């Protein structure tokens, strides 16, 4: 069973950084790209970017360049996202999700983590 | 960036009623994907490749469309279908989502 287990909710001060993790299990970690999605309270979904673990290549939504840094640790099957210089606009739930392909179909975001709430407040 | 415009923003339907949600893209996309999200939960893949139902999705749901116009239809509304539905495109980065359609039970 594919599972994406995210780290716990965070309360952080404005100007600080925070690192969120997403531990994958139930599949070969290097087989699929890992994506990150932002959802502000009561709002829609925004794609932040993705990392391809097998080659450590990243792609970012231009809007999040300089804000988010994506990494992957193949030894622990964990993807990470660091958010820097946090402001109130960064308060949101952040999801990891894999772009799943079974050899025939591209399923899109077939598997999601449970979400990590980041609250930026002094 | 491809902008996806969903309509309506909110809709209320009675059990048994037919519901259609549309998603218009600012540029042509190859396929459309749909996700269902209930309050406090992660989104779930609902429809992929425009018209294929994800595992476990009831067959009262269907998806259709091409180019810049896509839709999700519920043939007969059921209580459990109340949720927010998002369309999403993979044709070009940044991968974008529609703003969502909140489907409520009347």
């Amino acid at each position: 069973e594919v599972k994406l287990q995210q780290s716990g909710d965070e309360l952080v001060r404005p100007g600080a950084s925070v690192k969120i993790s997403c531990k994958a299990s139930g599949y070969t970690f290097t087989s699929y790209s890992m994506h990150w999605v932002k959802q502000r309270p009561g709002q829609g979904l925004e794609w932040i970017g993705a990392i391809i673990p097998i080659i450590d290549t990243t792609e970012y939504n231009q809007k999040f360049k300089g804000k988010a840094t994506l990494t992957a640790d193949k030894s622990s099957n964990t993807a990470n996202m660091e958010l820097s210089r946090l402001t109130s606009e960064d308060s949101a739930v952040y999801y990891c999700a894999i772009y799943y392909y079974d050899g025939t179909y591209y399923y899109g975001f077939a598997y999601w983590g449970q979400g990590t709430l980041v609250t930026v407040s002094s | 960036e491809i902008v996806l415009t969903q309509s309506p923003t909110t809709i209320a339907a009675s059990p048994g009623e037919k519901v259609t949600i549309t998603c218009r893209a600012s540029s042509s996309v190859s396929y459309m994907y749909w996700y269902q999200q209930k309050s406090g939960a992660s989104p779930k893949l609902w429809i992929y490749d425009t018209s294929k139902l994800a595992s476990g999705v009831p067959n009262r749901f269907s998806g259709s469309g091409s180019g810049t116009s896509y839709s999700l239809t519920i043939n007969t509304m059921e209580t459990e279908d109340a949720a927010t539905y998002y369309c999403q495109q993979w044709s070009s980065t940044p991968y974008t989502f529609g703003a969502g359609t909140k489907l409520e039970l009347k």
Side-chain angles (χ1 to χ4, degrees), chain B residues 50-74:
Chain B
T50 301
S51 59
K52 297 179 177 63
L53 302 184
S55 177
V57 174
N59 62 12
R60 61 181 177 274
F61 285 86
S62 63
S64 64
S66 64
T68 61
S69 184
Y70 293 84
S71 63
L72 176 156
T73 299
I74 307 172

Side-chain angles (χ1 to χ4, degrees), chain B residues 33-55:
Chain B
Y33 294 74
W34 294 88
Y35 301 87
Q36 181 199 66
Q37 186 178 34
K38 294 193 175 181
S39 182
S42 303
K44 290 183 180 179
L45 175 66
W46 215 243
I47 293 174
Y48 63 98
D49 279 6
T50 301
S51 59
K52 297 179 177 63
L53 302 184
S55 177

Side-chain angles (χ1 to χ4, degrees), chain A residues 38-44 88-93 117-119, chain B residues 86:
Chain A
K38 177 182 180 181
Q39 186 170 39
R40 297 203 68 199
Q43 302 298 309
S88 59
E89 296 294 304
D90 299 314
S91 292
V93 175
L117 175 63
V118 173
T119 303
Chain B
Y86 294 94

Side-chain angles (χ1 to χ4, degrees), chain A residues 36-53:
Chain A
W36 292 87
V37 174
K38 177 182 180 181
Q39 186 170 39
R40 297 203 68 199
Q43 302 298 309
L45 303 165
E46 265 190 295
W47 179 75
I48 296 170
I51 186 165
I52 303 173

Side-chain angles (χ1 to χ4, degrees), chain B residues 6 8-13 19 21 35-44 46 61 72 74 77-86 99-105:
Chain B
Q6 287 185 235
T9 303
T10 307
I11 184 170
V19 176
I21 298 168
Y35 301 87
Q36 181 199 66
Q37 186 178 34
K38 294 193 175 181
S39 182
S42 303
K44 290 183 180 179
W46 215 243
F61 285 86
L72 176 156
I74 307 172
M77 172 77 178
E78 295 204 8
T79 305
E80 66 190 35
D81 301 336
T84 300
Y85 294 86
Y86 294 94
T101 294
K102 187 173 184 179
L103 174 58
E104 299 174 331
L105 195 62

